[in-house]
PDB file of all heavy atoms in Angstrom:
ATOM      1  N   MET Y  21      12.332-100.474 -50.760  1.00 82.00           N
ATOM      2  CA  MET Y  21      12.764 -99.124 -50.985  1.00 82.00           C
ATOM      3  C   MET Y  21      11.685 -98.274 -51.580  1.00 82.00           C
ATOM      4  O   MET Y  21      11.491 -97.070 -51.193  1.00 82.00           O
ATOM      5  CB  MET Y  21      13.974 -99.163 -51.986  1.00 82.00           C
ATOM      6  CG  MET Y  21      15.206 -99.709 -51.366  1.00 82.00           C
ATOM      7  SD  MET Y  21      15.928 -98.616 -50.158  1.00 82.00           S
ATOM      8  CE  MET Y  21      16.447 -97.275 -51.201  1.00 82.00           C
ATOM      9  N   VAL Y  22      10.856 -98.824 -52.523  1.00 85.00           N
ATOM     10  CA  VAL Y  22       9.698 -98.041 -53.084  1.00 85.00           C
ATOM     11  C   VAL Y  22       8.752 -97.700 -52.017  1.00 85.00           C
ATOM     12  O   VAL Y  22       8.220 -96.587 -51.961  1.00 85.00           O
ATOM     13  CB  VAL Y  22       9.106 -98.882 -54.219  1.00 85.00           C
ATOM     14  CG1 VAL Y  22       7.772 -98.267 -54.639  1.00 85.00           C
ATOM     15  CG2 VAL Y  22      10.020 -98.971 -55.384  1.00 85.00           C
ATOM     16  N   PHE Y  23       8.502 -98.621 -51.065  1.00 90.00           N
ATOM     17  CA  PHE Y  23       7.605 -98.362 -49.911  1.00 90.00           C
ATOM     18  C   PHE Y  23       8.167 -97.210 -49.071  1.00 90.00           C
ATOM     19  O   PHE Y  23       7.397 -96.301 -48.742  1.00 90.00           O
ATOM     20  CB  PHE Y  23       7.412 -99.652 -49.072  1.00 90.00           C
ATOM     21  CG  PHE Y  23       6.585 -99.406 -47.873  1.00 90.00           C
ATOM     22  CD1 PHE Y  23       5.223 -99.272 -47.968  1.00 90.00           C
ATOM     23  CD2 PHE Y  23       7.202 -99.322 -46.596  1.00 90.00           C
ATOM     24  CE1 PHE Y  23       4.450 -99.044 -46.845  1.00 90.00           C
ATOM     25  CE2 PHE Y  23       6.445 -99.111 -45.476  1.00 90.00           C
ATOM     26  CZ  PHE Y  23       5.069 -98.997 -45.564  1.00 90.00           C
ATOM     27  N   LEU Y  24       9.439 -97.252 -48.775  1.00 87.00           N
ATOM     28  CA  LEU Y  24      10.055 -96.165 -47.995  1.00 87.00           C
ATOM     29  C   LEU Y  24       9.993 -94.781 -48.681  1.00 87.00           C
ATOM     30  O   LEU Y  24       9.776 -93.778 -48.008  1.00 87.00           O
ATOM     31  CB  LEU Y  24      11.546 -96.485 -47.592  1.00 87.00           C
ATOM     32  CG  LEU Y  24      11.708 -97.516 -46.489  1.00 87.00           C
ATOM     33  CD1 LEU Y  24      13.151 -97.800 -46.303  1.00 87.00           C
ATOM     34  CD2 LEU Y  24      11.096 -96.989 -45.217  1.00 87.00           C
ATOM     35  N   VAL Y  25      10.188 -94.796 -49.974  1.00 88.00           N
ATOM     36  CA  VAL Y  25      10.127 -93.552 -50.783  1.00 88.00           C
ATOM     37  C   VAL Y  25       8.667 -93.038 -50.705  1.00 88.00           C
ATOM     38  O   VAL Y  25       8.431 -91.849 -50.546  1.00 88.00           O
ATOM     39  CB  VAL Y  25      10.579 -93.777 -52.206  1.00 88.00           C
ATOM     40  CG1 VAL Y  25      10.223 -92.629 -53.123  1.00 88.00           C
ATOM     41  CG2 VAL Y  25      12.072 -94.044 -52.252  1.00 88.00           C
ATOM     42  N   GLY Y  26       7.684 -93.947 -50.873  1.00 92.00           N
ATOM     43  CA  GLY Y  26       6.304 -93.535 -50.685  1.00 92.00           C
ATOM     44  C   GLY Y  26       6.000 -92.943 -49.351  1.00 92.00           C
ATOM     45  O   GLY Y  26       5.303 -91.897 -49.217  1.00 92.00           O
ATOM     46  N   VAL Y  27       6.437 -93.578 -48.286  1.00 92.00           N
ATOM     47  CA  VAL Y  27       6.250 -93.040 -46.930  1.00 92.00           C
ATOM     48  C   VAL Y  27       6.946 -91.694 -46.783  1.00 92.00           C
ATOM     49  O   VAL Y  27       6.415 -90.799 -46.172  1.00 92.00           O
ATOM     50  CB  VAL Y  27       6.775 -94.049 -45.897  1.00 92.00           C
ATOM     51  CG1 VAL Y  27       6.798 -93.416 -44.497  1.00 92.00           C
ATOM     52  CG2 VAL Y  27       5.926 -95.321 -45.881  1.00 92.00           C
ATOM     53  N   TYR Y  28       8.147 -91.556 -47.354  1.00 91.00           N
ATOM     54  CA  TYR Y  28       8.864 -90.287 -47.316  1.00 91.00           C
ATOM     55  C   TYR Y  28       8.077 -89.151 -47.953  1.00 91.00           C
ATOM     56  O   TYR Y  28       7.899 -88.086 -47.371  1.00 91.00           O
ATOM     57  CB  TYR Y  28      10.180 -90.405 -47.983  1.00 91.00           C
ATOM     58  CG  TYR Y  28      10.878 -89.074 -48.255  1.00 91.00           C
ATOM     59  CD1 TYR Y  28      11.395 -88.331 -47.172  1.00 91.00           C
ATOM     60  CD2 TYR Y  28      10.950 -88.551 -49.513  1.00 91.00           C
ATOM     61  CE1 TYR Y  28      12.016 -87.111 -47.418  1.00 91.00           C
ATOM     62  CE2 TYR Y  28      11.569 -87.331 -49.762  1.00 91.00           C
ATOM     63  CZ  TYR Y  28      12.096 -86.624 -48.698  1.00 91.00           C
ATOM     64  OH  TYR Y  28      12.672 -85.398 -48.958  1.00 91.00           O
ATOM     65  N   PHE Y  29       7.509 -89.360 -49.141  1.00 92.00           N
ATOM     66  CA  PHE Y  29       6.712 -88.332 -49.814  1.00 92.00           C
ATOM     67  C   PHE Y  29       5.439 -88.013 -49.033  1.00 92.00           C
ATOM     68  O   PHE Y  29       5.040 -86.844 -48.975  1.00 92.00           O
ATOM     69  CB  PHE Y  29       6.428 -88.697 -51.264  1.00 92.00           C
ATOM     70  CG  PHE Y  29       7.638 -88.477 -52.144  1.00 92.00           C
ATOM     71  CD1 PHE Y  29       8.205 -89.570 -52.827  1.00 92.00           C
ATOM     72  CD2 PHE Y  29       8.168 -87.236 -52.358  1.00 92.00           C
ATOM     73  CE1 PHE Y  29       9.269 -89.369 -53.676  1.00 92.00           C
ATOM     74  CE2 PHE Y  29       9.237 -87.048 -53.182  1.00 92.00           C
ATOM     75  CZ  PHE Y  29       9.808 -88.085 -53.851  1.00 92.00           C
ATOM     76  N   ILE Y  30       4.829 -89.038 -48.460  1.00 94.00           N
ATOM     77  CA  ILE Y  30       3.612 -88.805 -47.680  1.00 94.00           C
ATOM     78  C   ILE Y  30       3.928 -87.940 -46.466  1.00 94.00           C
ATOM     79  O   ILE Y  30       3.224 -86.953 -46.147  1.00 94.00           O
ATOM     80  CB  ILE Y  30       2.969 -90.105 -47.274  1.00 94.00           C
ATOM     81  CG1 ILE Y  30       2.348 -90.830 -48.542  1.00 94.00           C
ATOM     82  CG2 ILE Y  30       1.881 -89.956 -46.207  1.00 94.00           C
ATOM     83  CD1 ILE Y  30       1.880 -92.236 -48.284  1.00 94.00           C
ATOM     84  N   THR Y  31       4.998 -88.295 -45.739  1.00 92.00           N
ATOM     85  CA  THR Y  31       5.336 -87.537 -44.547  1.00 92.00           C
ATOM     86  C   THR Y  31       5.815 -86.090 -44.890  1.00 92.00           C
ATOM     87  O   THR Y  31       5.527 -85.182 -44.145  1.00 92.00           O
ATOM     88  CB  THR Y  31       6.463 -88.208 -43.734  1.00 92.00           C
ATOM     89  OG1 THR Y  31       7.614 -88.414 -44.545  1.00 92.00           O
ATOM     90  CG2 THR Y  31       5.991 -89.532 -43.169  1.00 92.00           C
ATOM     91  N   LYS Y  32       6.484 -85.972 -46.004  1.00 91.00           N
ATOM     92  CA  LYS Y  32       6.899 -84.608 -46.441  1.00 91.00           C
ATOM     93  C   LYS Y  32       5.681 -83.749 -46.764  1.00 91.00           C
ATOM     94  O   LYS Y  32       5.642 -82.574 -46.416  1.00 91.00           O
ATOM     95  CB  LYS Y  32       7.881 -84.728 -47.643  1.00 91.00           C
ATOM     96  CG  LYS Y  32       8.477 -83.397 -47.976  1.00 91.00           C
ATOM     97  CD  LYS Y  32       9.608 -83.568 -48.909  1.00 91.00           C
ATOM     98  CE  LYS Y  32      10.170 -82.209 -49.167  1.00 91.00           C
ATOM     99  NZ  LYS Y  32      11.605 -82.217 -49.430  1.00 91.00           N
ATOM    100  N   ASN Y  33       4.702 -84.302 -47.495  1.00 93.00           N
ATOM    101  CA  ASN Y  33       3.492 -83.544 -47.844  1.00 93.00           C
ATOM    102  C   ASN Y  33       2.601 -83.256 -46.645  1.00 93.00           C
ATOM    103  O   ASN Y  33       1.812 -82.299 -46.663  1.00 93.00           O
ATOM    104  CB  ASN Y  33       2.720 -84.256 -48.921  1.00 93.00           C
ATOM    105  CG  ASN Y  33       3.436 -84.208 -50.286  1.00 93.00           C
ATOM    106  OD1 ASN Y  33       4.162 -83.301 -50.559  1.00 93.00           O
ATOM    107  ND2 ASN Y  33       3.203 -85.229 -51.084  1.00 93.00           N
ATOM    108  N   LEU Y  34       2.646 -84.127 -45.631  1.00 93.00           N
ATOM    109  CA  LEU Y  34       1.825 -83.879 -44.445  1.00 93.00           C
ATOM    110  C   LEU Y  34       2.507 -82.939 -43.455  1.00 93.00           C
ATOM    111  O   LEU Y  34       1.927 -82.537 -42.429  1.00 93.00           O
ATOM    112  CB  LEU Y  34       1.554 -85.215 -43.722  1.00 93.00           C
ATOM    113  CG  LEU Y  34       0.565 -86.164 -44.442  1.00 93.00           C
ATOM    114  CD1 LEU Y  34       0.421 -87.444 -43.702  1.00 93.00           C
ATOM    115  CD2 LEU Y  34      -0.774 -85.505 -44.618  1.00 93.00           C
ATOM    116  N   GLY Y  35       3.745 -82.535 -43.764  1.00 91.00           N
ATOM    117  CA  GLY Y  35       4.426 -81.609 -42.887  1.00 91.00           C
ATOM    118  C   GLY Y  35       5.075 -82.257 -41.702  1.00 91.00           C
ATOM    119  O   GLY Y  35       5.406 -81.544 -40.702  1.00 91.00           O
ATOM    120  N   LEU Y  36       5.347 -83.543 -41.736  1.00 92.00           N
ATOM    121  CA  LEU Y  36       6.044 -84.249 -40.649  1.00 92.00           C
ATOM    122  C   LEU Y  36       7.548 -84.093 -40.911  1.00 92.00           C
ATOM    123  O   LEU Y  36       8.180 -84.948 -41.468  1.00 92.00           O
ATOM    124  CB  LEU Y  36       5.621 -85.674 -40.559  1.00 92.00           C
ATOM    125  CG  LEU Y  36       4.135 -85.915 -40.398  1.00 92.00           C
ATOM    126  CD1 LEU Y  36       3.793 -87.409 -40.538  1.00 92.00           C
ATOM    127  CD2 LEU Y  36       3.653 -85.399 -39.033  1.00 92.00           C
ATOM    128  N   PHE Y  37       8.089 -82.949 -40.418  1.00 90.00           N
ATOM    129  CA  PHE Y  37       9.484 -82.614 -40.773  1.00 90.00           C
ATOM    130  C   PHE Y  37      10.508 -83.571 -40.213  1.00 90.00           C
ATOM    131  O   PHE Y  37      11.473 -83.996 -40.967  1.00 90.00           O
ATOM    132  CB  PHE Y  37       9.784 -81.187 -40.311  1.00 90.00           C
ATOM    133  CG  PHE Y  37       8.878 -80.144 -40.942  1.00 90.00           C
ATOM    134  CD1 PHE Y  37       8.009 -79.439 -40.210  1.00 90.00           C
ATOM    135  CD2 PHE Y  37       8.993 -79.920 -42.306  1.00 90.00           C
ATOM    136  CE1 PHE Y  37       7.198 -78.484 -40.811  1.00 90.00           C
ATOM    137  CE2 PHE Y  37       8.176 -78.961 -42.925  1.00 90.00           C
ATOM    138  CZ  PHE Y  37       7.248 -78.282 -42.178  1.00 90.00           C
ATOM    139  N   MET Y  38      10.389 -84.000 -38.972  1.00 92.00           N
ATOM    140  CA  MET Y  38      11.400 -84.829 -38.394  1.00 92.00           C
ATOM    141  C   MET Y  38      11.358 -86.236 -39.045  1.00 92.00           C
ATOM    142  O   MET Y  38      12.425 -86.783 -39.353  1.00 92.00           O
ATOM    143  CB  MET Y  38      11.165 -84.965 -36.884  1.00 92.00           C
ATOM    144  CG  MET Y  38      12.182 -85.796 -36.191  1.00 92.00           C
ATOM    145  SD  MET Y  38      11.895 -85.714 -34.373  1.00 92.00           S
ATOM    146  CE  MET Y  38      13.556 -85.692 -33.818  1.00 92.00           C
ATOM    147  N   THR Y  39      10.210 -86.743 -39.262  1.00 91.00           N
ATOM    148  CA  THR Y  39      10.055 -88.111 -39.857  1.00 91.00           C
ATOM    149  C   THR Y  39      10.615 -88.071 -41.299  1.00 91.00           C
ATOM    150  O   THR Y  39      11.354 -88.961 -41.725  1.00 91.00           O
ATOM    151  CB  THR Y  39       8.624 -88.621 -39.854  1.00 91.00           C
ATOM    152  OG1 THR Y  39       8.117 -88.534 -38.534  1.00 91.00           O
ATOM    153  CG2 THR Y  39       8.513 -90.030 -40.352  1.00 91.00           C
ATOM    154  N   SER Y  40      10.209 -87.049 -42.051  1.00 89.00           N
ATOM    155  CA  SER Y  40      10.709 -86.927 -43.453  1.00 89.00           C
ATOM    156  C   SER Y  40      12.251 -86.754 -43.472  1.00 89.00           C
ATOM    157  O   SER Y  40      12.936 -87.293 -44.369  1.00 89.00           O
ATOM    158  CB  SER Y  40      10.030 -85.867 -44.221  1.00 89.00           C
ATOM    159  OG  SER Y  40      10.257 -84.623 -43.643  1.00 89.00           O
ATOM    160  N   TRP Y  41      12.760 -85.986 -42.521  1.00 90.00           N
ATOM    161  CA  TRP Y  41      14.251 -85.756 -42.463  1.00 90.00           C
ATOM    162  C   TRP Y  41      15.001 -87.051 -42.193  1.00 90.00           C
ATOM    163  O   TRP Y  41      15.978 -87.380 -42.794  1.00 90.00           O
ATOM    164  CB  TRP Y  41      14.563 -84.702 -41.450  1.00 90.00           C
ATOM    165  CG  TRP Y  41      16.084 -84.515 -41.248  1.00 90.00           C
ATOM    166  CD1 TRP Y  41      16.885 -83.801 -42.097  1.00 90.00           C
ATOM    167  CD2 TRP Y  41      16.916 -85.087 -40.240  1.00 90.00           C
ATOM    168  NE1 TRP Y  41      18.171 -83.861 -41.694  1.00 90.00           N
ATOM    169  CE2 TRP Y  41      18.224 -84.616 -40.533  1.00 90.00           C
ATOM    170  CE3 TRP Y  41      16.680 -85.847 -39.144  1.00 90.00           C
ATOM    171  CZ2 TRP Y  41      19.315 -84.977 -39.685  1.00 90.00           C
ATOM    172  CZ3 TRP Y  41      17.734 -86.188 -38.330  1.00 90.00           C
ATOM    173  CH2 TRP Y  41      19.025 -85.746 -38.594  1.00 90.00           C
ATOM    174  N   ILE Y  42      14.442 -87.874 -41.229  1.00 92.00           N
ATOM    175  CA  ILE Y  42      15.052 -89.132 -40.858  1.00 92.00           C
ATOM    176  C   ILE Y  42      15.002 -90.116 -42.048  1.00 92.00           C
ATOM    177  O   ILE Y  42      15.975 -90.766 -42.348  1.00 92.00           O
ATOM    178  CB  ILE Y  42      14.380 -89.747 -39.620  1.00 92.00           C
ATOM    179  CG1 ILE Y  42      14.795 -88.935 -38.373  1.00 92.00           C
ATOM    180  CG2 ILE Y  42      14.744 -91.241 -39.463  1.00 92.00           C
ATOM    181  CD1 ILE Y  42      14.082 -89.380 -37.114  1.00 92.00           C
ATOM    182  N   LEU Y  43      13.845 -90.144 -42.732  1.00 89.00           N
ATOM    183  CA  LEU Y  43      13.732 -91.004 -43.921  1.00 89.00           C
ATOM    184  C   LEU Y  43      14.671 -90.583 -45.040  1.00 89.00           C
ATOM    185  O   LEU Y  43      15.206 -91.384 -45.768  1.00 89.00           O
ATOM    186  CB  LEU Y  43      12.306 -91.057 -44.375  1.00 89.00           C
ATOM    187  CG  LEU Y  43      11.332 -91.842 -43.518  1.00 89.00           C
ATOM    188  CD1 LEU Y  43       9.890 -91.670 -43.999  1.00 89.00           C
ATOM    189  CD2 LEU Y  43      11.733 -93.327 -43.460  1.00 89.00           C
ATOM    190  N   GLN Y  44      14.850 -89.245 -45.203  1.00 89.00           N
ATOM    191  CA  GLN Y  44      15.784 -88.756 -46.182  1.00 89.00           C
ATOM    192  C   GLN Y  44      17.217 -89.171 -45.882  1.00 89.00           C
ATOM    193  O   GLN Y  44      17.910 -89.607 -46.755  1.00 89.00           O
ATOM    194  CB  GLN Y  44      15.662 -87.241 -46.268  1.00 89.00           C
ATOM    195  CG  GLN Y  44      16.562 -86.624 -47.353  1.00 89.00           C
ATOM    196  CD  GLN Y  44      16.353 -85.086 -47.406  1.00 89.00           C
ATOM    197  OE1 GLN Y  44      15.590 -84.516 -46.680  1.00 89.00           O
ATOM    198  NE2 GLN Y  44      17.129 -84.469 -48.287  1.00 89.00           N
ATOM    199  N   GLU Y  45      17.636 -89.023 -44.634  1.00 90.00           N
ATOM    200  CA  GLU Y  45      19.002 -89.476 -44.239  1.00 90.00           C
ATOM    201  C   GLU Y  45      19.106 -90.974 -44.327  1.00 90.00           C
ATOM    202  O   GLU Y  45      20.186 -91.477 -44.704  1.00 90.00           O
ATOM    203  CB  GLU Y  45      19.276 -89.001 -42.793  1.00 90.00           C
ATOM    204  CG  GLU Y  45      19.302 -87.484 -42.646  1.00 90.00           C
ATOM    205  CD  GLU Y  45      20.306 -86.801 -43.585  1.00 90.00           C
ATOM    206  OE1 GLU Y  45      21.461 -87.326 -43.703  1.00 90.00           O
ATOM    207  OE2 GLU Y  45      19.936 -85.810 -44.170  1.00 90.00           O
ATOM    208  N   LEU Y  46      18.107 -91.696 -43.998  1.00 88.00           N
ATOM    209  CA  LEU Y  46      18.107 -93.163 -44.096  1.00 88.00           C
ATOM    210  C   LEU Y  46      18.248 -93.575 -45.567  1.00 88.00           C
ATOM    211  O   LEU Y  46      18.936 -94.530 -45.901  1.00 88.00           O
ATOM    212  CB  LEU Y  46      16.812 -93.778 -43.505  1.00 88.00           C
ATOM    213  CG  LEU Y  46      16.656 -95.277 -43.513  1.00 88.00           C
ATOM    214  CD1 LEU Y  46      17.721 -95.935 -42.607  1.00 88.00           C
ATOM    215  CD2 LEU Y  46      15.313 -95.673 -43.035  1.00 88.00           C
ATOM    216  N   GLY Y  47      17.603 -92.837 -46.466  1.00 83.00           N
ATOM    217  CA  GLY Y  47      17.720 -93.124 -47.896  1.00 83.00           C
ATOM    218  C   GLY Y  47      19.174 -93.013 -48.376  1.00 83.00           C
ATOM    219  O   GLY Y  47      19.604 -93.853 -49.218  1.00 83.00           O
ATOM    220  N   THR Y  48      19.877 -92.028 -47.888  1.00 84.00           N
ATOM    221  CA  THR Y  48      21.308 -91.900 -48.291  1.00 84.00           C
ATOM    222  C   THR Y  48      22.124 -93.030 -47.843  1.00 84.00           C
ATOM    223  O   THR Y  48      22.929 -93.613 -48.576  1.00 84.00           O
ATOM    224  CB  THR Y  48      21.872 -90.563 -47.687  1.00 84.00           C
ATOM    225  OG1 THR Y  48      21.012 -89.492 -48.063  1.00 84.00           O
ATOM    226  CG2 THR Y  48      23.285 -90.302 -48.160  1.00 84.00           C
ATOM    227  N   VAL Y  49      21.918 -93.495 -46.580  1.00 87.00           N
ATOM    228  CA  VAL Y  49      22.650 -94.617 -46.026  1.00 87.00           C
ATOM    229  C   VAL Y  49      22.238 -95.934 -46.767  1.00 87.00           C
ATOM    230  O   VAL Y  49      23.095 -96.720 -47.094  1.00 87.00           O
ATOM    231  CB  VAL Y  49      22.383 -94.745 -44.513  1.00 87.00           C
ATOM    232  CG1 VAL Y  49      22.971 -96.019 -43.943  1.00 87.00           C
ATOM    233  CG2 VAL Y  49      22.943 -93.527 -43.772  1.00 87.00           C
ATOM    234  N   LEU Y  50      20.972 -96.078 -47.028  1.00 83.00           N
ATOM    235  CA  LEU Y  50      20.505 -97.284 -47.721  1.00 83.00           C
ATOM    236  C   LEU Y  50      21.053 -97.374 -49.147  1.00 83.00           C
ATOM    237  O   LEU Y  50      21.318 -98.477 -49.647  1.00 83.00           O
ATOM    238  CB  LEU Y  50      18.953 -97.371 -47.774  1.00 83.00           C
ATOM    239  CG  LEU Y  50      18.316 -97.724 -46.440  1.00 83.00           C
ATOM    240  CD1 LEU Y  50      16.808 -97.665 -46.590  1.00 83.00           C
ATOM    241  CD2 LEU Y  50      18.765 -99.120 -46.004  1.00 83.00           C
ATOM    242  N   PHE Y  51      21.224 -96.243 -49.805  1.00 81.00           N
ATOM    243  CA  PHE Y  51      21.766 -96.220 -51.159  1.00 81.00           C
ATOM    244  C   PHE Y  51      23.195 -96.797 -51.189  1.00 81.00           C
ATOM    245  O   PHE Y  51      23.502 -97.664 -51.999  1.00 81.00           O
ATOM    246  CB  PHE Y  51      21.778 -94.803 -51.735  1.00 81.00           C
ATOM    247  CG  PHE Y  51      22.299 -94.750 -53.119  1.00 81.00           C
ATOM    248  CD1 PHE Y  51      21.513 -95.190 -54.187  1.00 81.00           C
ATOM    249  CD2 PHE Y  51      23.557 -94.201 -53.373  1.00 81.00           C
ATOM    250  CE1 PHE Y  51      22.046 -95.122 -55.471  1.00 81.00           C
ATOM    251  CE2 PHE Y  51      24.022 -94.124 -54.625  1.00 81.00           C
ATOM    252  CZ  PHE Y  51      23.319 -94.575 -55.705  1.00 81.00           C
ATOM    253  N   VAL Y  52      24.022 -96.353 -50.259  1.00 85.00           N
ATOM    254  CA  VAL Y  52      25.401 -96.957 -50.116  1.00 85.00           C
ATOM    255  C   VAL Y  52      25.377 -98.362 -49.689  1.00 85.00           C
ATOM    256  O   VAL Y  52      26.104 -99.234 -50.234  1.00 85.00           O
ATOM    257  CB  VAL Y  52      26.213 -96.064 -49.144  1.00 85.00           C
ATOM    258  CG1 VAL Y  52      27.548 -96.677 -48.922  1.00 85.00           C
ATOM    259  CG2 VAL Y  52      26.366 -94.646 -49.660  1.00 85.00           C
ATOM    260  N   LEU Y  53      24.507 -98.738 -48.777  1.00 81.00           N
ATOM    261  CA  LEU Y  53      24.364-100.104 -48.301  1.00 81.00           C
ATOM    262  C   LEU Y  53      23.926-101.058 -49.383  1.00 81.00           C
ATOM    263  O   LEU Y  53      24.464-102.168 -49.489  1.00 81.00           O
ATOM    264  CB  LEU Y  53      23.399-100.154 -47.098  1.00 81.00           C
ATOM    265  CG  LEU Y  53      23.343-101.455 -46.325  1.00 81.00           C
ATOM    266  CD1 LEU Y  53      24.679-101.682 -45.631  1.00 81.00           C
ATOM    267  CD2 LEU Y  53      22.259-101.353 -45.275  1.00 81.00           C
ATOM    268  N   ILE Y  54      23.025-100.642 -50.199  1.00 80.00           N
ATOM    269  CA  ILE Y  54      22.528-101.501 -51.323  1.00 80.00           C
ATOM    270  C   ILE Y  54      23.630-101.758 -52.326  1.00 80.00           C
ATOM    271  O   ILE Y  54      23.793-102.863 -52.831  1.00 80.00           O
ATOM    272  CB  ILE Y  54      21.298-100.869 -51.981  1.00 80.00           C
ATOM    273  CG1 ILE Y  54      20.103-101.087 -51.098  1.00 80.00           C
ATOM    274  CG2 ILE Y  54      21.083-101.437 -53.387  1.00 80.00           C
ATOM    275  CD1 ILE Y  54      18.823-100.422 -51.538  1.00 80.00           C
ATOM    276  N   ILE Y  55      24.481-100.709 -52.602  1.00 83.00           N
ATOM    277  CA  ILE Y  55      25.586-100.906 -53.516  1.00 83.00           C
ATOM    278  C   ILE Y  55      26.582-101.938 -52.974  1.00 83.00           C
ATOM    279  O   ILE Y  55      27.090-102.799 -53.668  1.00 83.00           O
ATOM    280  CB  ILE Y  55      26.270 -99.557 -53.812  1.00 83.00           C
ATOM    281  CG1 ILE Y  55      25.382 -98.709 -54.614  1.00 83.00           C
ATOM    282  CG2 ILE Y  55      27.632 -99.817 -54.544  1.00 83.00           C
ATOM    283  CD1 ILE Y  55      25.917 -97.296 -54.871  1.00 83.00           C
ATOM    284  N   VAL Y  56      26.850-101.892 -51.645  1.00 83.00           N
ATOM    285  CA  VAL Y  56      27.778-102.853 -51.010  1.00 83.00           C
ATOM    286  C   VAL Y  56      27.161-104.244 -51.030  1.00 83.00           C
ATOM    287  O   VAL Y  56      27.814-105.249 -51.396  1.00 83.00           O
ATOM    288  CB  VAL Y  56      28.115-102.371 -49.627  1.00 83.00           C
ATOM    289  CG1 VAL Y  56      28.899-103.477 -48.900  1.00 83.00           C
ATOM    290  CG2 VAL Y  56      28.945-101.119 -49.648  1.00 83.00           C
ATOM    291  N   ILE Y  57      25.893-104.393 -50.631  1.00 77.00           N
ATOM    292  CA  ILE Y  57      25.293-105.683 -50.487  1.00 77.00           C
ATOM    293  C   ILE Y  57      25.064-106.367 -51.859  1.00 77.00           C
ATOM    294  O   ILE Y  57      25.306-107.528 -52.003  1.00 77.00           O
ATOM    295  CB  ILE Y  57      23.948-105.588 -49.728  1.00 77.00           C
ATOM    296  CG1 ILE Y  57      24.181-105.237 -48.265  1.00 77.00           C
ATOM    297  CG2 ILE Y  57      23.185-106.918 -49.800  1.00 77.00           C
ATOM    298  CD1 ILE Y  57      22.965-104.922 -47.449  1.00 77.00           C
ATOM    299  N   PHE Y  58      24.559-105.642 -52.791  1.00 78.00           N
ATOM    300  CA  PHE Y  58      24.230-106.257 -54.093  1.00 78.00           C
ATOM    301  C   PHE Y  58      25.280-105.964 -55.205  1.00 78.00           C
ATOM    302  O   PHE Y  58      24.926-105.832 -56.365  1.00 78.00           O
ATOM    303  CB  PHE Y  58      22.836-105.707 -54.563  1.00 78.00           C
ATOM    304  CG  PHE Y  58      21.759-106.118 -53.685  1.00 78.00           C
ATOM    305  CD1 PHE Y  58      21.112-105.235 -52.870  1.00 78.00           C
ATOM    306  CD2 PHE Y  58      21.408-107.458 -53.627  1.00 78.00           C
ATOM    307  CE1 PHE Y  58      20.085-105.626 -52.039  1.00 78.00           C
ATOM    308  CE2 PHE Y  58      20.388-107.919 -52.824  1.00 78.00           C
ATOM    309  CZ  PHE Y  58      19.704-106.970 -52.040  1.00 78.00           C
ATOM    310  N   GLN Y  59      26.561-105.878 -54.781  1.00 81.00           N
ATOM    311  CA  GLN Y  59      27.587-105.622 -55.808  1.00 81.00           C
ATOM    312  C   GLN Y  59      27.680-106.714 -56.863  1.00 81.00           C
ATOM    313  O   GLN Y  59      27.926-106.463 -58.029  1.00 81.00           O
ATOM    314  CB  GLN Y  59      28.943-105.373 -55.145  1.00 81.00           C
ATOM    315  CG  GLN Y  59      29.505-106.619 -54.442  1.00 81.00           C
ATOM    316  CD  GLN Y  59      30.843-106.222 -53.828  1.00 81.00           C
ATOM    317  OE1 GLN Y  59      31.509-105.289 -54.233  1.00 81.00           O
ATOM    318  NE2 GLN Y  59      31.267-107.078 -52.855  1.00 81.00           N
ATOM    319  N   ALA Y  60      27.479-107.970 -56.468  1.00 75.00           N
ATOM    320  CA  ALA Y  60      27.495-109.093 -57.456  1.00 75.00           C
ATOM    321  C   ALA Y  60      26.361-108.980 -58.454  1.00 75.00           C
ATOM    322  O   ALA Y  60      26.593-109.165 -59.643  1.00 75.00           O
ATOM    323  CB  ALA Y  60      27.458-110.417 -56.713  1.00 75.00           C
TER     324      ALA Y  60
END
């Protein structure tokens, strides 16, 4: 997750709008998925 956040900030600063938007949406889905997977 830290790696994906790093890639997101790099793509956002480089102006790669589509890639940063996809990573941003993926982050929202991953947040919910992590809560479900690691509930224990």
Side-chain angles (χ1 to χ4, degrees):
M21 289 290 291
V22 168
F23 176 75
L24 282 177
V25 167
V27 170
Y28 166 73
F29 282 117
I30 290 171
T31 58
K32 188 167 181 148
N33 288 332
L34 290 177
L36 303 172
F37 298 113
M38 184 175 216
T39 306
S40 64
W41 177 77
I42 289 174
L43 288 173
Q44 182 178 359
E45 297 303 316
L46 182 65
T48 306
V49 172
L50 284 177
F51 181 72
V52 173
L53 190 64
I54 284 176
I55 290 175
V56 171
I57 291 174
F58 294 111
Q59 65 180 341

